[in-house]
Amino acid sequence: MHRSLFPLLLAASATSAVAAPADDGGPAYIVNGEVESGYPSTMAIGFDAGGFRASTCTASLITPRILLTAAHCSEEYAKQGISIDLIVQFGAAFPGKNVDNADAIKFDDLINHPDYQGITGFGTPENDVSVVILARDVTDVEPVWFNTRPLRDRDLGTKITSVGYGITSAATQSGSGTKRSVKLKISDLDGQFIVANTADSPMDGNVCSGDSGGPQYHVEDDGRLLQWSVHSWADQGCSFTSGSTRTDLFAEWILDRVEEVHGTRDFCEITSKYGDGVCDAYCDTPDIDCEIGGGGGAADTGGAGG
């Protein structure tokens, strides 16, 4: 049975941040999630201009200068005549638990996947990934890298965590701007997406409007947090299912953007992991700290600060 799908975007106006309306008037946010003070690498993105700020989507810090998010967060505005240049001019990222109290970080550039296609009919979006280049390095938040390993059927049922800043009420279309998280399980790998059905969620939850572009994190065997996907779409009432674009399928495109900014694709080089006294066995190049008996480390377990 086909369900009406919609991208998880919030549209900003001069006075409020509103969501695409839900068919059933049900909840529209990280459904049955909880307010989150951790996962500092997850940030809201939106607008900060003339004393007005609003979060429209969510993103994740993958290097000190780069956010990973969904292409539809800006492409859907472009279809309405709001240019990408204008989005960059007034765009901002908001770290921390709440947008209202955040120290806004301005955009320097925004690059959407060139083959992005939005939702049409009963279809799903395609190539729904984007990177935001920030105007300055974020030095007080540890970035979280993304998964490049091809996902397989054996990954079905794996526990993941979605984090986002979506709205809290479809009826009033208000309440966005607070970070929330929800535990999910992978129900299916369908095309470009990790599909998470609400019925399979340990918390009977899911993602919704304003969570677009946010991360689905997985805790690796070594305890390190890794981003596996980017929130992309949900059913109209955010009651049954959602799809998040897999990073493994777009790893080369993302890494090309990383190299353009940092001159390397090596996360450990970008984040100064080599020779820092901690053994980081996951690095592209063997970490000298592992040879001299340094202890292992995790990039972002989600429990500290935000």
Side-chain angles (χ1 to χ4, degrees):
M1 175 181 178
H2 288 295
R3 298 190 186 277
S4 178
L5 303 179
F6 76 108
L8 305 177
L9 176 70
L10 288 176
S13 71
T15 58
S16 64
V18 299
D23 284 341
D24 58 2
Y29 59 110
I30 280 195
V31 180
N32 289 335
E34 54 190 24
V35 174
E36 183 58 69
S37 60
Y39 300 100
S41 55
T42 305
M43 301 183 184
I45 55 174
F47 300 93
D48 185 28
F52 168 71
R53 61 168 53 182
S55 63
T56 58
C57 276
T58 304
S60 55
L61 191 73
I62 60 170
T63 80
R65 187 63 69 93
I66 298 176
L67 295 171
L68 180 63
T69 189
H72 79 254
C73 286
S74 52
E75 288 289 349
E76 295 305 314
Y77 284 122
K79 291 178 182 178
Q80 301 172 32
I82 302 174
S83 71
I84 298 297
D85 287 344
L86 196 62
I87 292 171
V88 171
Q89 181 180 352
F90 294 106
F94 306 100
K97 186 169 69 174
N98 189 284
V99 169
D100 291 338
N101 300 322
D103 181 14
I105 306 168
K106 300 298 291 182
F107 291 0
D108 184 62
D109 200 1
L110 186 155
I111 306 168
N112 293 327
H113 195 286
D115 298 323
Y116 165 77
Q117 294 183 26
I119 291 176
T120 56
F122 290 117
T124 53
E126 295 182 10
N127 312 306
D128 192 13
V129 292
S130 176
V131 295
V132 173
I133 316 302
L134 297 173
R136 62 172 175 85
D137 284 355
V138 178
T139 58
D140 57 350
V141 173
E142 183 79 9
V144 170
W145 203 227
F146 57 92
N147 178 51
T148 61
R149 173 184 68 82
L151 299 181
R152 304 290 187 227
D153 286 346
R154 67 176 180 268
D155 295 306
L156 296 178
T158 297
K159 295 178 181 179
I160 50 179
T161 300
S162 282
V163 188
Y165 289 79
I167 66 173
T168 57
S169 170
T172 62
Q173 298 185 5
S174 63
S176 66
T178 297
K179 186 189 297 184
R180 295 178 175 83
S181 67
V182 66
K183 307 294 184 185
L184 302 172
K185 287 185 179 180
I186 298 178
S187 304
D188 195 9
L189 298 173
D190 185 8
Q192 297 181 354
F193 306 103
I194 287 178
V195 176
N197 295 331
T198 303
D200 296 332
S201 166
M203 302 168 67
D204 196 31
N206 220 308
V207 300
C208 199
S209 299
D211 298 322
S212 268
Q216 284 183 330
Y217 291 128
H218 177 257
V219 179
E220 301 294 291
D221 290 341
D222 61 3
R224 182 171 53 109
L225 202 65
L226 202 65
Q227 181 174 349
W228 277 22
S229 60
V230 175
H231 302 148
S232 187
W233 54 265
D235 67 274
Q236 190 75 15
C238 303
S239 302
F240 301 101
T241 189
S242 68
S244 298
T245 300
R246 294 163 48 181
T247 62
D248 61 303
L249 299 180
F250 294 93
E252 287 303 309
W253 184 84
I254 300 169
L255 287 169
D256 284 346
R257 308 289 80 76
V258 170
E259 188 170 15
E260 288 170 0
V261 173
H262 294 285
T264 179
R265 302 154 79 92
D266 187 338
F267 176 75
C268 290
E269 181 179 349
I270 294 167
T271 55
S272 302
K273 298 294 183 186
Y274 296 118
D276 65 352
V278 177
C279 171
D280 296 298
Y282 59 85
C283 290
D284 291 349
T285 301
D287 186 356
I288 190 172
D289 295 310
C290 299
E291 300 176 11
I292 59 178
D300 178 352
T301 60

Short mmCIF file of all heavy atoms in Angstrom, two decimals, residues 237-275:
data_model
loop_
_atom_site.label_atom_id
_atom_site.label_comp_id
_atom_site.label_asym_id
_atom_site.label_seq_id
_atom_site.Cartn_x
_atom_site.Cartn_y
_atom_site.Cartn_z
N GLY A 237 1.70 11.56 8.01
CA GLY A 237 1.40 11.79 9.41
C GLY A 237 2.53 11.43 10.35
O GLY A 237 2.37 11.53 11.56
N CYS A 238 3.67 11.02 9.78
CA CYS A 238 4.83 10.61 10.59
C CYS A 238 4.45 9.53 11.59
O CYS A 238 4.94 9.52 12.72
CB CYS A 238 5.43 11.80 11.31
SG CYS A 238 5.94 13.13 10.20
N SER A 239 3.59 8.62 11.16
CA SER A 239 3.08 7.60 12.06
C SER A 239 3.56 6.20 11.73
O SER A 239 3.47 5.31 12.59
CB SER A 239 1.54 7.60 12.02
OG SER A 239 1.02 8.86 12.37
N PHE A 240 4.05 5.99 10.51
CA PHE A 240 4.29 4.62 10.06
C PHE A 240 5.74 4.33 9.66
O PHE A 240 6.29 3.31 10.03
CB PHE A 240 3.36 4.28 8.89
CG PHE A 240 1.91 4.42 9.21
CD1 PHE A 240 1.21 5.54 8.79
CD2 PHE A 240 1.24 3.45 9.93
CE1 PHE A 240 -0.15 5.68 9.08
CE2 PHE A 240 -0.10 3.59 10.24
CZ PHE A 240 -0.80 4.70 9.81
N THR A 241 6.34 5.22 8.89
CA THR A 241 7.64 4.88 8.32
C THR A 241 8.42 6.13 7.93
O THR A 241 7.84 7.22 7.78
CB THR A 241 7.44 3.98 7.07
OG1 THR A 241 8.70 3.47 6.65
CG2 THR A 241 6.80 4.75 5.93
N SER A 242 9.72 5.97 7.77
CA SER A 242 10.57 7.06 7.27
C SER A 242 11.71 6.45 6.47
O SER A 242 12.03 5.26 6.61
CB SER A 242 11.13 7.90 8.43
OG SER A 242 12.04 7.13 9.19
N GLY A 243 12.32 7.28 5.63
CA GLY A 243 13.47 6.86 4.85
C GLY A 243 14.60 7.86 5.00
O GLY A 243 14.38 9.08 4.95
N SER A 244 15.81 7.35 5.20
CA SER A 244 16.99 8.20 5.38
C SER A 244 18.06 7.77 4.39
O SER A 244 18.36 6.58 4.25
CB SER A 244 17.52 8.10 6.81
OG SER A 244 16.54 8.54 7.74
N THR A 245 18.63 8.74 3.69
CA THR A 245 19.59 8.46 2.62
C THR A 245 20.89 7.90 3.19
O THR A 245 21.50 8.49 4.07
CB THR A 245 19.87 9.75 1.83
OG1 THR A 245 18.64 10.23 1.27
CG2 THR A 245 20.86 9.50 0.70
N ARG A 246 21.31 6.77 2.64
CA ARG A 246 22.49 6.05 3.14
C ARG A 246 23.78 6.77 2.75
O ARG A 246 23.99 7.11 1.59
CB ARG A 246 22.50 4.64 2.56
CG ARG A 246 21.36 3.78 3.04
CD ARG A 246 21.15 2.56 2.18
NE ARG A 246 22.39 1.82 1.91
CZ ARG A 246 22.45 0.72 1.16
NH1 ARG A 246 21.34 0.24 0.60
NH2 ARG A 246 23.60 0.11 0.96
N THR A 247 24.66 6.96 3.72
CA THR A 247 25.93 7.63 3.41
C THR A 247 26.87 6.72 2.63
O THR A 247 27.70 7.22 1.87
CB THR A 247 26.64 8.08 4.70
OG1 THR A 247 26.95 6.95 5.50
CG2 THR A 247 25.79 9.07 5.48
N ASP A 248 26.76 5.40 2.79
CA ASP A 248 27.68 4.51 2.07
C ASP A 248 27.52 4.63 0.56
O ASP A 248 28.49 4.46 -0.18
CB ASP A 248 27.51 3.05 2.51
CG ASP A 248 26.12 2.50 2.25
OD1 ASP A 248 25.14 3.09 2.75
OD2 ASP A 248 25.99 1.47 1.54
N LEU A 249 26.32 4.95 0.10
CA LEU A 249 26.07 5.07 -1.34
C LEU A 249 26.57 6.39 -1.90
O LEU A 249 26.70 6.52 -3.12
CB LEU A 249 24.57 4.92 -1.62
CG LEU A 249 23.94 3.58 -1.21
CD1 LEU A 249 22.46 3.58 -1.55
CD2 LEU A 249 24.65 2.42 -1.91
N PHE A 250 26.83 7.37 -1.03
CA PHE A 250 27.26 8.70 -1.48
C PHE A 250 28.61 9.09 -0.89
O PHE A 250 28.98 10.26 -0.91
CB PHE A 250 26.19 9.73 -1.11
CG PHE A 250 24.90 9.51 -1.85
CD1 PHE A 250 23.89 8.75 -1.29
CD2 PHE A 250 24.72 10.03 -3.13
CE1 PHE A 250 22.72 8.50 -1.99
CE2 PHE A 250 23.55 9.79 -3.84
CZ PHE A 250 22.55 9.02 -3.27
N ALA A 251 29.33 8.09 -0.40
CA ALA A 251 30.60 8.36 0.27
C ALA A 251 31.58 9.08 -0.64
O ALA A 251 32.26 10.03 -0.21
CB ALA A 251 31.20 7.06 0.80
N GLU A 252 31.70 8.66 -1.89
CA GLU A 252 32.68 9.28 -2.79
C GLU A 252 32.34 10.74 -3.05
O GLU A 252 33.24 11.59 -3.07
CB GLU A 252 32.78 8.49 -4.10
CG GLU A 252 33.48 7.16 -3.97
CD GLU A 252 34.89 7.30 -3.42
OE1 GLU A 252 35.65 8.12 -3.96
OE2 GLU A 252 35.22 6.62 -2.43
N TRP A 253 31.08 11.02 -3.25
CA TRP A 253 30.68 12.42 -3.49
C TRP A 253 30.96 13.27 -2.25
O TRP A 253 31.48 14.39 -2.36
CB TRP A 253 29.19 12.49 -3.86
CG TRP A 253 28.75 13.88 -4.20
CD1 TRP A 253 28.86 14.51 -5.41
CD2 TRP A 253 28.16 14.85 -3.30
NE1 TRP A 253 28.37 15.80 -5.32
CE2 TRP A 253 27.93 16.03 -4.06
CE3 TRP A 253 27.80 14.81 -1.97
CZ2 TRP A 253 27.36 17.16 -3.49
CZ3 TRP A 253 27.23 15.95 -1.39
CH2 TRP A 253 27.01 17.11 -2.16
N ILE A 254 30.63 12.76 -1.07
CA ILE A 254 30.89 13.51 0.16
C ILE A 254 32.39 13.70 0.36
O ILE A 254 32.86 14.80 0.69
CB ILE A 254 30.26 12.80 1.37
CG1 ILE A 254 28.76 12.66 1.20
CG2 ILE A 254 30.57 13.57 2.66
CD1 ILE A 254 28.10 11.73 2.23
N LEU A 255 33.17 12.64 0.15
CA LEU A 255 34.62 12.73 0.33
C LEU A 255 35.25 13.71 -0.65
O LEU A 255 36.22 14.40 -0.32
CB LEU A 255 35.24 11.34 0.17
CG LEU A 255 35.00 10.38 1.34
CD1 LEU A 255 35.42 8.97 0.96
CD2 LEU A 255 35.75 10.84 2.59
N ASP A 256 34.71 13.80 -1.86
CA ASP A 256 35.21 14.79 -2.82
C ASP A 256 35.03 16.21 -2.27
O ASP A 256 35.91 17.07 -2.42
CB ASP A 256 34.49 14.66 -4.16
CG ASP A 256 34.95 13.47 -4.98
OD1 ASP A 256 36.01 12.89 -4.65
OD2 ASP A 256 34.24 13.11 -5.95
N ARG A 257 33.89 16.46 -1.64
CA ARG A 257 33.63 17.78 -1.06
C ARG A 257 34.57 18.03 0.13
O ARG A 257 35.07 19.14 0.32
CB ARG A 257 32.17 17.90 -0.60
CG ARG A 257 31.11 17.53 -1.64
CD ARG A 257 30.99 18.53 -2.77
NE ARG A 257 32.00 18.39 -3.79
CZ ARG A 257 32.02 17.43 -4.73
NH1 ARG A 257 31.13 16.47 -4.74
NH2 ARG A 257 32.97 17.42 -5.65
N VAL A 258 34.79 17.01 0.94
CA VAL A 258 35.71 17.12 2.07
C VAL A 258 37.11 17.48 1.58
O VAL A 258 37.78 18.36 2.14
CB VAL A 258 35.73 15.82 2.89
CG1 VAL A 258 36.86 15.84 3.91
CG2 VAL A 258 34.39 15.61 3.60
N GLU A 259 37.56 16.81 0.53
CA GLU A 259 38.90 17.07 0.01
C GLU A 259 39.01 18.48 -0.56
O GLU A 259 40.06 19.13 -0.43
CB GLU A 259 39.25 16.04 -1.05
CG GLU A 259 40.70 16.11 -1.52
CD GLU A 259 41.09 14.93 -2.39
OE1 GLU A 259 40.19 14.20 -2.87
OE2 GLU A 259 42.30 14.73 -2.58
N GLU A 260 37.95 18.97 -1.18
CA GLU A 260 37.98 20.34 -1.70
C GLU A 260 38.19 21.36 -0.59
O GLU A 260 38.86 22.37 -0.79
CB GLU A 260 36.66 20.63 -2.43
CG GLU A 260 36.50 19.90 -3.76
CD GLU A 260 35.10 20.01 -4.33
OE1 GLU A 260 34.23 20.65 -3.68
OE2 GLU A 260 34.85 19.43 -5.40
N VAL A 261 37.65 21.10 0.56
CA VAL A 261 37.75 22.05 1.68
C VAL A 261 39.03 21.87 2.47
O VAL A 261 39.70 22.85 2.83
CB VAL A 261 36.53 21.89 2.62
CG1 VAL A 261 36.70 22.74 3.88
CG2 VAL A 261 35.25 22.28 1.89
N HIS A 262 39.41 20.61 2.73
CA HIS A 262 40.51 20.33 3.66
C HIS A 262 41.79 19.85 2.97
O HIS A 262 42.82 19.72 3.64
CB HIS A 262 40.07 19.29 4.68
CG HIS A 262 38.98 19.76 5.60
ND1 HIS A 262 39.21 20.63 6.64
CD2 HIS A 262 37.65 19.49 5.62
CE1 HIS A 262 38.07 20.87 7.28
NE2 HIS A 262 37.11 20.19 6.68
N GLY A 263 41.72 19.55 1.67
CA GLY A 263 42.91 19.08 0.98
C GLY A 263 43.24 17.63 1.27
O GLY A 263 44.30 17.14 0.88
N THR A 264 42.37 16.92 1.97
CA THR A 264 42.55 15.51 2.28
C THR A 264 41.19 14.89 2.53
O THR A 264 40.22 15.58 2.87
CB THR A 264 43.45 15.31 3.52
OG1 THR A 264 43.58 13.91 3.80
CG2 THR A 264 42.88 16.01 4.73
N ARG A 265 41.13 13.55 2.40
CA ARG A 265 39.91 12.82 2.70
C ARG A 265 40.05 12.05 4.02
O ARG A 265 39.16 11.29 4.38
CB ARG A 265 39.61 11.84 1.55
CG ARG A 265 39.46 12.52 0.22
CD ARG A 265 39.80 11.57 -0.93
NE ARG A 265 38.75 10.63 -1.26
CZ ARG A 265 37.81 10.84 -2.17
NH1 ARG A 265 37.79 11.99 -2.85
NH2 ARG A 265 36.90 9.92 -2.45
N ASP A 266 41.15 12.25 4.70
CA ASP A 266 41.49 11.49 5.90
C ASP A 266 40.92 12.20 7.13
O ASP A 266 41.41 13.25 7.55
CB ASP A 266 43.00 11.36 6.01
CG ASP A 266 43.46 10.44 7.14
OD1 ASP A 266 42.68 10.25 8.09
OD2 ASP A 266 44.59 9.94 7.07
N PHE A 267 39.89 11.61 7.74
CA PHE A 267 39.24 12.21 8.90
C PHE A 267 40.22 12.44 10.04
O PHE A 267 40.17 13.46 10.72
CB PHE A 267 38.09 11.31 9.35
CG PHE A 267 37.39 11.77 10.61
CD1 PHE A 267 36.52 12.84 10.57
CD2 PHE A 267 37.61 11.13 11.82
CE1 PHE A 267 35.86 13.28 11.72
CE2 PHE A 267 36.96 11.54 12.97
CZ PHE A 267 36.09 12.62 12.93
N CYS A 268 41.12 11.48 10.24
CA CYS A 268 42.07 11.60 11.35
C CYS A 268 43.07 12.73 11.13
O CYS A 268 43.50 13.39 12.10
CB CYS A 268 42.79 10.27 11.56
SG CYS A 268 41.72 8.97 12.22
N GLU A 269 43.44 12.97 9.89
CA GLU A 269 44.32 14.11 9.60
C GLU A 269 43.57 15.42 9.81
O GLU A 269 44.12 16.36 10.41
CB GLU A 269 44.83 14.01 8.16
CG GLU A 269 45.78 15.14 7.79
CD GLU A 269 46.30 15.02 6.36
OE1 GLU A 269 46.11 13.97 5.73
OE2 GLU A 269 46.89 16.02 5.88
N ILE A 270 42.34 15.48 9.36
CA ILE A 270 41.54 16.70 9.48
C ILE A 270 41.32 17.07 10.95
O ILE A 270 41.35 18.24 11.33
CB ILE A 270 40.19 16.53 8.76
CG1 ILE A 270 40.41 16.39 7.25
CG2 ILE A 270 39.26 17.70 9.06
CD1 ILE A 270 39.18 15.90 6.50
N THR A 271 41.11 16.05 11.78
CA THR A 271 40.77 16.30 13.18
C THR A 271 41.96 16.08 14.13
O THR A 271 41.77 15.98 15.35
CB THR A 271 39.60 15.39 13.61
OG1 THR A 271 39.94 14.01 13.34
CG2 THR A 271 38.33 15.75 12.85
N SER A 272 43.18 16.03 13.56
CA SER A 272 44.43 15.97 14.35
C SER A 272 44.46 14.78 15.30
O SER A 272 44.87 14.89 16.47
CB SER A 272 44.62 17.27 15.15
OG SER A 272 44.64 18.39 14.28
N LYS A 273 44.05 13.62 14.81
CA LYS A 273 44.08 12.41 15.63
C LYS A 273 45.47 11.77 15.69
O LYS A 273 45.78 11.09 16.67
CB LYS A 273 43.08 11.39 15.08
CG LYS A 273 41.63 11.83 15.09
CD LYS A 273 41.11 12.01 16.49
CE LYS A 273 39.64 12.38 16.49
NZ LYS A 273 39.14 12.69 17.85
N TYR A 274 46.26 11.94 14.63
CA TYR A 274 47.57 11.31 14.61
C TYR A 274 48.50 11.97 15.64
O TYR A 274 48.65 13.20 15.66
CB TYR A 274 48.18 11.42 13.21
CG TYR A 274 47.40 10.67 12.15
CD1 TYR A 274 46.84 11.35 11.07
CD2 TYR A 274 47.23 9.29 12.23
CE1 TYR A 274 46.13 10.67 10.10
CE2 TYR A 274 46.51 8.61 11.26
CZ TYR A 274 45.96 9.30 10.20
OH TYR A 274 45.24 8.64 9.23
N GLY A 275 49.10 11.15 16.49
CA GLY A 275 50.06 11.67 17.46
C GLY A 275 49.45 12.45 18.59
O GLY A 275 50.14 13.25 19.22
#
